[in-house]
């Protein structure tokens, strides 16, 4: 069976982001999700109210148990949290040839920091070179490169800088870039692919980054090209935002399950 995705990320008790969103996205798109949880967060649509990292040996044991038995056709990393976790996850990635989608999670939708300040350099030096695809939003790309990302030109320049830092490909997400449309730019050594759609006026955007990275990982795991997986994942997330159920009093979750109902 192809389509196995190992997700190494934090848990979101509210179910809108993190491991929960990852599992929903991979499952809805026909893949098989397995997990190695890095931290337990106390979280809902109003924000992150607590973060409890798991021991390094336990994080690694989860990943090894999956890789040694079930296997993986793609790996997706999300919230890592600290230098020590980044270092341990990098070592895990070095033990397998499986392609990795790296979502460099730094800040939650409500503003809570999900990556220690000192760990940014670890992500820069250890995760970027191991990424078959890196999926930063504008603030994350700015933090990693020092390049201002305020327009499409900034997305291009930051994407090029991240390629130079070792990423196999970069999806420069444009949700934070002002404008009536949202442009995500897939940048590779051979060129770029632009994904553009109207900006949706909604507060239901919790977990969009986690969901998109996992959706793309599911496509890669099922044998699609990077361009195919990215386009399909992008379309899936856009529709999930449009169909969001409107839960909670803050940044609400997406409708991850819409493809299952449509079938």
């Amino acid at each position: 069976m192809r389509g196995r995705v190992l997700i190494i990320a934090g848990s979101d008790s509210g179910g809108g982001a993190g491991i929960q969103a990852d599992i929903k996205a991979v499952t809805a798109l026909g893949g098989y999700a397995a997990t190695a949880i890095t931290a337990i967060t106390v979280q809902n649509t109003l924000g992150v109210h607590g973060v409890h990292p798991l021991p390094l040996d336990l994080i690694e044991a989860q990943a090894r148990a999956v890789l040694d038995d079930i296997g993986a056709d793609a790996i997706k990393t999300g919230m890592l949290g600290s230098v020590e976790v980044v270092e341990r996850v990098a070592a895990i990635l070095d033990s397998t040839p499986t392609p990795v989608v790296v979502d460099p999670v730094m800040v939650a939708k409500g503003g809570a920091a999900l990556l220690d300040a000192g760990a940014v350099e670890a992500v820069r030096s250890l995760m970027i070179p191991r990424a078959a695809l890196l999926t930063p939003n504008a603030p994350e790309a700015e933090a990693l490169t020092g390049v201002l990302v305020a327009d499409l030109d900034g997305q291009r320049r930051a994407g090029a800088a991240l390629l130079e830092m070792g990423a196999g490909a970069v999806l420069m997400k444009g949700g934070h870039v002002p404008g009536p449309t949202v442009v995500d730019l897939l940048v590779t050594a051979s060129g770029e692919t632009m994904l553009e759609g109207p900006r949706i006026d909604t507060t239901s955007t919790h977990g969009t980054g986690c969901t998109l990275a996992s959706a793309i990982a599911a496509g890669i795991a099922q044998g699609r090209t990077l361009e195919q997986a990215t386009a399909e994942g992008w379309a899936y997330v856009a529709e999930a935002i449009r169909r969001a159920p409107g839960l909670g009093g803050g940044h609400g979750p997406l409708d991850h399950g819409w493809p299952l109902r449509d079938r």
Side-chain angles (χ1 to χ4, degrees):
M1 173 187 173
R2 287 188 64 84
R4 302 165 297 173
V5 182
L6 169 60
I7 303 146
I8 305 175
S11 166
D12 170 8
S13 56
I19 286 286
Q20 287 81 351
D22 299 325
I23 293 172
K24 293 172 189 177
V26 170
T27 302
L29 294 173
Y32 179 86
T35 64
I37 298 174
T38 58
I40 305 296
T41 70
V42 180
Q43 192 171 167
N44 56 22
T45 70
L46 300 174
V48 179
H49 310 289
V51 177
H52 302 271
L54 295 187
L56 295 176
D57 287 348
L58 179 56
I59 296 169
E60 180 169 3
Q62 294 174 82
R64 299 286 182 202
V66 172
L67 292 170
D68 292 347
D69 177 38
I70 296 169
D73 302 299
I75 295 174
K76 181 260 182 174
T77 67
M79 175 189 172
L80 301 181
S82 68
V83 173
E84 294 77 14
V85 175
V86 172
E87 291 173 342
R88 185 65 67 96
V89 170
I92 294 167
L93 300 181
D94 284 345
S95 71
T96 174
T98 308
V100 184
V101 176
V102 174
D103 183 16
V105 176
M106 295 183 181
V107 179
K109 188 68 68 180
L114 297 178
L115 185 70
D116 294 345
V120 175
E121 177 54 38
V123 170
R124 194 181 287 126
S125 62
L126 295 176
M127 297 305 294
I128 291 176
R130 290 168 171 80
L133 176 67
L134 185 74
T135 64
N137 60 30
E140 290 162 350
E142 289 177 351
L144 291 169
T145 66
V147 175
L148 178 65
V149 182
D151 53 22
L152 184 58
D153 182 62
Q155 288 177 266
R156 284 197 174 99
R157 289 187 290 109
L162 291 164
L163 286 183
E164 290 180 8
M165 292 164 67
V170 182
L171 180 63
M172 286 294 309
K173 296 180 294 189
H176 291 79
V177 178
T181 64
V182 174
V183 178
D184 287 5
L185 195 66
L186 177 62
V187 184
T188 70
S190 59
E192 67 178 40
T193 302
M194 189 180 299
L195 300 159
E196 183 174 9
R199 189 176 296 275
I200 302 168
D201 183 16
T202 179
T203 56
S204 296
T205 55
H206 184 56
T208 48
C210 305
T211 302
L212 179 57
S214 286
I216 296 171
I220 293 171
Q222 292 174 82
R224 290 168 177 75
T225 67
L226 177 60
E227 290 76 12
Q228 288 174 322
T230 301
E232 291 175 11
W234 191 89
Y236 162 73
V237 172
E239 187 65 17
I241 295 172
R242 280 190 286 269
R243 300 195 191 194
L247 301 177
H251 295 287
L254 316 183
D255 179 3
H256 293 92
W258 71 263
L260 300 176
R261 292 193 303 278
D262 279 12
R263 289 185 199 133

